[in-house]
């Protein structure tokens, strides 16, 4: 009775995350629930709803600050590095809480450099079951 989506990916890191979080929606609450992965490059995930425009704007504002922070640091940094340094100031509390929970989920997943490779942007965040979730990473 729940809408599902099939996702085919050629990105091995994306598939590795899906393999780790499959069937663990209570543990990885900031990722869209993944119900099934096959042994190639396809997985089945829950369907989510679009973000409200105010949250999209908040994410875009956060990303402007993050990009400036990355330029100032002169190297590869994650959105979490920015959040820890200064990014929590002047941002929506719901967004900051989501990012803190996402940071914990990324650490729990344990893949090297997932924090640096995470594709955090408005197109990849949606609402599932009333909460923000990453639908693509």
């Amino acid at each position: 009775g729940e809408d599902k989506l099939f996702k085919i990916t050629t990105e091995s890191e994306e598939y590795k995350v899906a393999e780790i979080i499959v069937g663990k929606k209570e543990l990885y609450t900031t990722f869209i629930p993944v119900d099934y992965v096959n042994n190639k490059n396809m997985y089945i995930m829950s369907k989510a709803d679009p973000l409200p425009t105010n949250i999209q704007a908040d994410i875009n504002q956060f990303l402007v600050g993050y990009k400036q922070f990355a330029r100032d640091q002169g190297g590869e940094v994650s959105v979490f590095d920015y959040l820890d340094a200064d990014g929590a100031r002047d941002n929506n509390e719901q967004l900051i809480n989501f990012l803190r929970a996402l940071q914990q989920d990324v650490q729990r997943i344990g893949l090297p450099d997932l924090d640096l490779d995470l594709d955090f942007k408005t197109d990849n965040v949606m609402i599932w079951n009333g909460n923000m979730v990453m639908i693509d990473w």
Side-chain angles (χ1 to χ4, degrees):
E2 185 178 343
D3 288 334
K4 303 289 182 187
L5 298 173
F6 290 84
K7 171 97 185 237
I8 297 174
T9 183
T10 57
E11 298 177 28
S12 64
E13 289 299 311
E14 181 180 350
Y15 184 77
K16 286 178 188 175
V17 170
E19 283 185 309
I20 291 169
I21 68 173
V22 64
K24 299 176 184 167
K25 68 182 176 185
E26 292 82 17
L27 184 60
Y28 298 104
T29 60
T30 59
F31 288 86
I32 191 74
V34 173
D35 296 310
Y36 171 82
V37 294
N38 72 355
N39 58 0
K40 296 191 183 209
N41 61 350
M42 187 271 297
Y43 54 95
I44 298 173
M45 62 187 187
S46 296
K47 186 176 177 186
D49 297 315
L51 281 176
T53 54
N54 65 316
I55 297 176
Q56 290 178 19
D58 290 340
I59 290 173
N60 288 331
Q61 176 187 344
F62 177 86
L63 290 173
V64 167
Y66 163 67
K67 289 174 186 173
Q68 183 60 50
F69 174 77
R71 281 191 292 275
D72 293 346
Q73 295 300 306
E76 196 170 28
V77 294
S78 75
V79 294
F80 308 123
D81 294 328
Y82 173 58
L83 185 64
D84 292 340
D86 192 19
R89 191 181 342 147
D90 302 330
N91 281 288
N92 174 306
E93 185 177 346
Q94 181 183 8
L95 174 60
I96 299 307
N97 290 340
F98 169 72
L99 286 167
R100 290 288 181 210
L102 179 62
Q103 184 177 24
Q104 291 175 354
D105 280 354
V106 165
Q107 290 170 348
R108 193 175 298 118
I109 287 171
L111 290 175
D113 295 331
L114 178 58
D115 60 333
L116 296 172
D117 297 332
L118 193 65
D119 195 11
F120 181 73
K121 60 183 181 179
T122 56
D123 293 346
N124 292 342
V125 181
M126 294 184 81
I127 301 293
W128 179 80
N129 207 22
N131 297 307
M132 295 170 56
V133 292
M134 293 289 297
I135 60 154
D136 192 4
W137 41 86

